[in-house]
Coordinates of all heavy atoms in Angstrom, one line a residue:
T1 N -19.4 -2.6 4.9 CA -18.2 -3.5 5.2 C -18.7 -4.9 5.7 O -18.1 -5.9 5.4 CB -17.3 -2.9 6.3 OG1 -18.0 -2.5 7.4 CG2 -16.6 -1.7 5.7
E2 N -19.8 -4.9 6.5 CA -20.4 -6.2 6.9 C -20.9 -6.9 5.7 O -20.7 -8.2 5.6 CB -21.5 -5.9 7.9 CG -22.2 -7.2 8.4 CD -21.3 -8.3 9.0 OE1 -20.2 -7.9 9.5 OE2 -21.6 -9.5 8.9
A3 N -21.6 -6.3 4.8 CA -22.1 -6.9 3.6 C -21.0 -7.4 2.8 O -21.1 -8.5 2.2 CB -23.0 -5.9 2.8
L4 N -19.9 -6.7 2.7 CA -18.8 -7.1 1.9 C -18.1 -8.3 2.5 O -17.7 -9.3 1.7 CB -17.8 -6.0 1.8 CG -16.5 -6.2 1.0 CD1 -16.8 -6.7 -0.4 CD2 -15.6 -4.9 1.0
R5 N -18.0 -8.4 3.8 CA -17.4 -9.6 4.4 C -18.3 -10.8 4.1 O -17.7 -11.9 3.8 CB -17.3 -9.3 6.0 CG -16.2 -8.4 6.4 CD -16.2 -8.2 7.9 NE -15.1 -7.4 8.3 CZ -13.9 -7.8 8.5 NH1 -13.6 -9.1 8.4 NH2 -13.0 -6.9 8.9
Q6 N -19.6 -10.7 4.2 CA -20.4 -11.8 4.0 C -20.4 -12.2 2.5 O -20.4 -13.4 2.2 CB -21.9 -11.5 4.4 CG -22.1 -11.3 5.9 CD -23.5 -11.3 6.3 OE1 -24.4 -11.8 5.6 NE2 -23.8 -10.6 7.4
A7 N -20.3 -11.2 1.6 CA -20.2 -11.5 0.2 C -18.9 -12.3 -0.2 O -18.9 -13.3 -0.9 CB -20.2 -10.2 -0.7
I8 N -17.8 -11.9 0.4 CA -16.5 -12.6 0.2 C -16.6 -14.0 0.7 O -16.1 -15.0 0.1 CB -15.4 -11.8 0.9 CG1 -15.1 -10.5 0.1 CG2 -14.1 -12.7 0.9 CD1 -14.1 -9.6 0.8
A9 N -17.3 -14.2 1.8 CA -17.4 -15.6 2.4 C -18.3 -16.5 1.6 O -18.1 -17.7 1.5 CB -18.0 -15.5 3.8
H10 N -19.3 -15.9 0.9 CA -20.3 -16.7 0.2 C -20.2 -16.6 -1.3 O -20.8 -17.4 -2.0 CB -21.7 -16.3 0.6 CG -22.1 -16.6 2.0 ND1 -21.8 -15.8 3.0 CD2 -22.7 -17.7 2.5 CE1 -22.3 -16.3 4.2 NE2 -22.8 -17.5 3.9
G11 N -19.3 -15.7 -1.8 CA -19.2 -15.5 -3.3 C -18.7 -16.7 -4.0 O -17.8 -17.4 -3.6
D12 N -19.3 -16.9 -5.2 CA -18.8 -18.0 -6.1 C -18.2 -17.5 -7.3 O -17.9 -16.3 -7.4 CB -20.0 -19.0 -6.4 CG -21.2 -18.3 -7.0 OD1 -21.0 -17.1 -7.5 OD2 -22.3 -18.9 -7.1
E13 N -18.0 -18.3 -8.4 CA -17.4 -17.8 -9.6 C -18.3 -16.8 -10.3 O -17.8 -15.9 -11.0 CB -17.1 -19.0 -10.5 CG -15.9 -19.8 -10.0 CD -15.6 -20.9 -11.0 OE1 -16.2 -21.0 -12.1 OE2 -14.6 -21.7 -10.8
D14 N -19.6 -17.0 -10.2 CA -20.5 -16.0 -10.8 C -20.3 -14.6 -10.2 O -20.3 -13.6 -10.9 CB -22.0 -16.5 -10.7 CG -22.3 -17.6 -11.6 OD1 -21.5 -17.8 -12.6 OD2 -23.3 -18.3 -11.4
W15 N -20.2 -14.6 -8.9 CA -20.0 -13.3 -8.2 C -18.7 -12.7 -8.6 O -18.6 -11.5 -8.9 CB -19.9 -13.6 -6.7 CG -19.5 -12.4 -5.9 CD1 -20.2 -11.2 -5.7 CD2 -18.2 -12.3 -5.2 NE1 -19.4 -10.4 -4.9 CE2 -18.2 -11.0 -4.6 CE3 -17.1 -13.1 -5.0 CZ2 -17.1 -10.5 -3.8 CZ3 -16.0 -12.6 -4.3 CH2 -16.1 -11.4 -3.7
E16 N -17.6 -13.5 -8.7 CA -16.3 -13.0 -9.2 C -16.4 -12.4 -10.6 O -15.9 -11.3 -10.9 CB -15.3 -14.1 -9.1 CG -14.8 -14.4 -7.8 CD -13.6 -15.4 -7.8 OE1 -13.2 -15.8 -8.9 OE2 -13.2 -15.8 -6.7
S17 N -17.1 -13.1 -11.5 CA -17.2 -12.7 -12.9 C -18.0 -11.4 -13.0 O -17.6 -10.5 -13.8 CB -17.8 -13.8 -13.8 OG -19.1 -14.0 -13.4
Q18 N -19.0 -11.3 -12.2 CA -19.8 -10.0 -12.3 C -19.0 -8.9 -11.7 O -19.1 -7.7 -12.2 CB -21.1 -10.2 -11.5 CG -22.1 -11.2 -12.2 CD -23.3 -11.5 -11.3 OE1 -23.6 -10.8 -10.3 NE2 -24.0 -12.6 -11.7
L19 N -18.2 -9.2 -10.7 CA -17.4 -8.1 -10.1 C -16.3 -7.6 -11.0 O -16.1 -6.4 -11.2 CB -16.8 -8.7 -8.8 CG -15.9 -7.7 -8.0 CD1 -16.6 -6.4 -7.6 CD2 -15.4 -8.4 -6.7
V20 N -15.7 -8.6 -11.7 CA -14.7 -8.2 -12.8 C -15.3 -7.4 -13.8 O -14.7 -6.3 -14.2 CB -14.1 -9.5 -13.4 CG1 -13.3 -9.2 -14.6 CG2 -13.3 -10.3 -12.4
A21 N -16.5 -7.7 -14.3 CA -17.2 -7.0 -15.4 C -17.5 -5.6 -14.9 O -17.3 -4.6 -15.7 CB -18.4 -7.7 -15.8
S22 N -18.0 -5.4 -13.7 CA -18.4 -4.1 -13.2 C -17.2 -3.2 -13.0 O -17.3 -2.0 -13.2 CB -19.3 -4.2 -11.9 OG -18.5 -4.8 -10.9
F23 N -16.1 -3.8 -12.5 CA -14.9 -3.0 -12.3 C -14.3 -2.6 -13.6 O -13.9 -1.4 -13.8 CB -13.8 -3.9 -11.6 CG -12.5 -3.2 -11.4 CD1 -12.5 -2.1 -10.5 CD2 -11.4 -3.5 -12.1 CE1 -11.2 -1.4 -10.4 CE2 -10.2 -2.9 -11.9 CZ -10.1 -1.8 -11.1
Y24 N -14.4 -3.4 -14.7 CA -13.9 -3.0 -16.0 C -14.7 -1.8 -16.5 O -14.2 -0.8 -17.0 CB -14.0 -4.2 -17.0 CG -13.7 -3.8 -18.4 CD1 -12.4 -3.7 -18.8 CD2 -14.7 -3.6 -19.3 CE1 -12.1 -3.3 -20.1 CE2 -14.4 -3.2 -20.6 CZ -13.1 -3.1 -21.0 OH -12.8 -2.7 -22.3
R25 N -16.1 -1.9 -16.4 CA -16.9 -0.8 -16.9 C -16.7 0.5 -16.1 O -16.7 1.6 -16.7 CB -18.4 -1.2 -16.8 CG -18.8 -2.4 -17.7 CD -20.2 -2.7 -17.7 NE -21.0 -1.7 -18.3 CZ -21.8 -0.8 -17.7 NH1 -22.0 -0.9 -16.4 NH2 -22.5 0.1 -18.4
L26 N -16.5 0.4 -14.8 CA -16.2 1.5 -14.0 C -14.8 2.1 -14.4 O -14.7 3.4 -14.5 CB -16.2 1.1 -12.5 CG -15.8 2.2 -11.5 CD1 -16.8 3.4 -11.6 CD2 -15.8 1.7 -10.1
S27 N -13.9 1.3 -14.7 CA -12.5 1.8 -15.1 C -12.6 2.6 -16.3 O -11.9 3.6 -16.5 CB -11.6 0.6 -15.2 OG -11.4 -0.1 -14.0
K28 N -13.4 2.2 -17.3 CA -13.5 2.9 -18.6 C -14.1 4.3 -18.4 O -13.7 5.2 -19.0 CB -14.4 2.1 -19.5 CG -13.9 0.7 -19.9 CD -12.5 0.7 -20.4 CE -12.4 1.3 -21.8 NZ -11.0 1.3 -22.4
V29 N -15.1 4.4 -17.5 CA -15.7 5.7 -17.3 C -14.8 6.6 -16.5 O -14.8 7.8 -16.6 CB -17.1 5.6 -16.7 CG1 -17.1 5.4 -15.2 CG2 -18.0 6.9 -17.0
E30 N -14.0 6.0 -15.6 CA -13.0 6.8 -14.8 C -12.0 7.4 -15.7 O -11.5 8.5 -15.4 CB -12.4 5.9 -13.8 CG -13.3 5.6 -12.6 CD -12.7 4.5 -11.6 OE1 -11.8 3.8 -12.1 OE2 -13.2 4.5 -10.5
E31 N -11.6 6.8 -16.8 CA -10.7 7.4 -17.8 C -11.4 8.6 -18.4 O -10.7 9.7 -18.6 CB -10.4 6.4 -18.9 CG -9.6 5.2 -18.5 CD -9.4 4.1 -19.6 OE1 -9.9 4.4 -20.7 OE2 -8.9 3.1 -19.3
R32 N -12.7 8.5 -18.7 CA -13.4 9.7 -19.3 C -13.5 10.8 -18.2 O -13.5 12.0 -18.5 CB -14.7 9.3 -19.8 CG -14.7 8.4 -21.0 CD -16.1 7.9 -21.3 NE -17.1 8.9 -21.2 CZ -18.4 8.7 -20.8 NH1 -18.7 7.4 -20.5 NH2 -19.3 9.6 -20.7
L33 N -13.7 10.4 -17.0 CA -13.9 11.4 -15.9 C -12.7 12.3 -15.7 O -12.8 13.4 -15.5 CB -14.2 10.6 -14.6 CG -14.7 11.4 -13.4 CD1 -16.1 11.9 -13.7 CD2 -14.7 10.6 -12.1
A34 N -11.5 11.7 -15.9 CA -10.3 12.4 -15.8 C -10.1 13.5 -16.9 O -9.5 14.5 -16.7 CB -9.1 11.5 -15.9
Q35 N -10.8 13.2 -18.1 CA -10.7 14.1 -19.2 C -11.8 15.2 -19.3 O -11.6 16.3 -19.6 CB -10.7 13.3 -20.5 CG -9.5 12.3 -20.6 CD -9.7 11.4 -21.8 OE1 -10.7 11.4 -22.5 NE2 -8.8 10.4 -21.9
D36 N -13.1 14.7 -18.9 CA -14.2 15.6 -19.0 C -15.1 15.3 -17.8 O -16.1 14.5 -18.0 CB -14.9 15.4 -20.3 CG -16.0 16.5 -20.5 OD1 -16.4 17.2 -19.5 OD2 -16.5 16.7 -21.7
Q37 N -14.9 15.9 -16.7 CA -15.6 15.6 -15.4 C -17.1 15.8 -15.6 O -17.9 15.0 -15.2 CB -15.0 16.4 -14.3 CG -15.6 16.0 -12.9 CD -16.8 16.9 -12.5 OE1 -16.8 18.1 -12.9 NE2 -17.7 16.3 -11.8
K38 N -17.5 16.9 -16.2 CA -18.9 17.3 -16.3 C -19.7 16.3 -17.2 O -20.7 15.8 -16.8 CB -19.0 18.7 -16.9 CG -20.5 19.2 -16.9 CD -20.6 20.6 -17.4 CE -22.0 21.1 -17.4 NZ -22.1 22.5 -17.9
D39 N -19.1 15.9 -18.3 CA -19.7 15.0 -19.2 C -19.9 13.6 -18.7 O -20.9 12.9 -19.0 CB -19.0 15.0 -20.6 CG -19.6 14.1 -21.6 OD1 -20.8 14.4 -22.0 OD2 -19.0 13.1 -22.0
A40 N -18.9 13.2 -17.9 CA -18.9 11.8 -17.5 C -19.5 11.6 -16.1 O -19.6 10.4 -15.7 CB -17.4 11.3 -17.5
A41 N -19.9 12.6 -15.4 CA -20.3 12.5 -14.0 C -21.5 11.6 -13.8 O -21.6 10.7 -12.9 CB -20.7 13.9 -13.4
S42 N -22.5 11.7 -14.7 CA -23.7 10.9 -14.6 C -23.4 9.4 -14.9 O -23.9 8.5 -14.1 CB -24.8 11.4 -15.5 OG -25.3 12.6 -15.1
D43 N -22.6 9.2 -15.9 CA -22.2 7.8 -16.2 C -21.4 7.2 -15.1 O -21.6 6.0 -14.7 CB -21.4 7.7 -17.5 CG -22.3 7.9 -18.7 OD1 -23.5 7.8 -18.6 OD2 -21.7 8.2 -19.8
Y44 N -20.6 8.0 -14.5 CA -19.7 7.5 -13.4 C -20.6 7.1 -12.2 O -20.4 6.1 -11.6 CB -18.8 8.6 -12.9 CG -18.0 8.3 -11.6 CD1 -17.0 7.4 -11.6 CD2 -18.5 8.8 -10.4 CE1 -16.3 7.1 -10.4 CE2 -17.9 8.4 -9.2 CZ -16.8 7.6 -9.3 OH -16.2 7.2 -8.1
E45 N -21.6 7.9 -11.9 CA -22.5 7.6 -10.7 C -23.1 6.3 -10.9 O -23.2 5.4 -10.0 CB -23.5 8.7 -10.5 CG -24.4 8.5 -9.3 CD -23.6 8.5 -8.0 OE1 -22.6 9.1 -7.9 OE2 -24.1 7.7 -7.1

């Protein structure tokens, strides 16, 4: 939480774009996780 506070205070557009991309990729594997937990567990981690 301390690291997150500092990141929000110092983050620029590059930080935002990387965060958006990582959230999108995580969302895609979360869809698979709901369907096949065993198969998607490693990718999810």
Side-chain angles (χ1 to χ4, degrees):
T1 54
E2 176 57 26
L4 180 55
R5 286 179 176 277
Q6 293 191 26
I8 290 172
H10 292 86
D12 55 15
E13 288 185 1
D14 286 340
W15 169 71
E16 287 187 2
S17 64
Q18 291 172 17
L19 182 55
V20 169
S22 66
F23 177 69
Y24 173 78
R25 295 183 71 249
L26 177 60
S27 298
K28 299 305 288 184
V29 80
E30 283 170 341
E31 293 175 5
R32 289 172 46 212
L33 193 67
Q35 299 169 3
D36 190 344
Q37 186 265 328
K38 184 176 181 181
D39 180 62
S42 293
D43 287 343
Y44 170 80
E45 182 62 33

